[in-house]
């Protein structure tokens, strides 16, 4: 039953990530074609709750999606099972979240955690 729940959760996060990826790529293409510098981009994102929500949602979805996917790889290729497999999944997810949350915070509120 856990495997089915993780499978469904990974598919749901994929559905959530698809429009976020398209949105991110569109913003990056527009910024590059518009000749915006890094400072100008940060000037537009800092202090913005909307960008915080956009990229924060993106980070959470990616962390869940990647941790579940790497759990499958660790089980099928690495032979991990039981508590070690779950610890690997949680460690991966939390590690990715820590890195992503720090980046989102820096881009939207201008300071490192």
């Amino acid at each position: 039953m856990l495997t089915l729940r993780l499978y469904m959760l990974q598919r749901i996060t994929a559905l959530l990530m698809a429009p976020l990826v398209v949105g991110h790529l569109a913003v990056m293409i527009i910024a590059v074609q518009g000749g915006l510098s890094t400072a100008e981009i940060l000037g537009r994102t800092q202090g913005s709750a909307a960008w915080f929500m956009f990229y924060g949602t993106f980070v959470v979805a990616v962390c869940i999606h990647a941790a579940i996917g790497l759990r499958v790889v660790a089980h099928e290729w690495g032979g991990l099972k039981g508590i070690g497999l779950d610890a690997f999944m949680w460690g991966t997810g939390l590690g990715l979240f820590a890195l992503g949350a720090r980046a989102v915070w820096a881009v939207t509120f201008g300071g490192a955690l």
Side-chain angles (χ1 to χ4, degrees):
M1 190 59 130
L2 174 64
T3 305
L4 176 62
R5 282 191 224 146
L6 292 175
Y7 175 84
M8 293 306 297
L9 185 57
Q10 188 177 39
R11 293 329 180 251
I12 291 167
T13 56
L15 288 171
L16 182 60
M17 286 188 312
L20 296 173
V21 167
V22 171
H24 172 72
L25 290 175
V27 167
M28 293 300 105
I29 290 169
I30 291 167
V32 168
Q33 287 181 345
L36 293 176
S37 69
T38 304
E40 290 169 322
I41 293 169
L42 288 175
R44 293 179 183 196
T45 61
Q46 291 185 345
S48 172
W51 285 118
F52 178 79
M53 291 299 296
F54 179 86
Y55 282 112
T57 302
F58 203 168
V59 164
V60 170
V62 167
C63 294
I64 293 168
H65 187 85
I68 294 170
L70 289 173
R71 180 185 189 274
V72 172
V73 171
H75 175 67
E76 291 179 0
W77 289 9
L80 279 178
K81 295 178 183 171
I83 197 162
L85 184 60
D86 291 336
F88 174 77
M89 179 185 70
W90 280 100
T92 300
L94 292 173
L96 289 172
F97 179 76
L99 293 171
R102 185 170 188 228
V104 169
W105 186 264
V107 167
T108 56
F109 293 110
L113 290 177

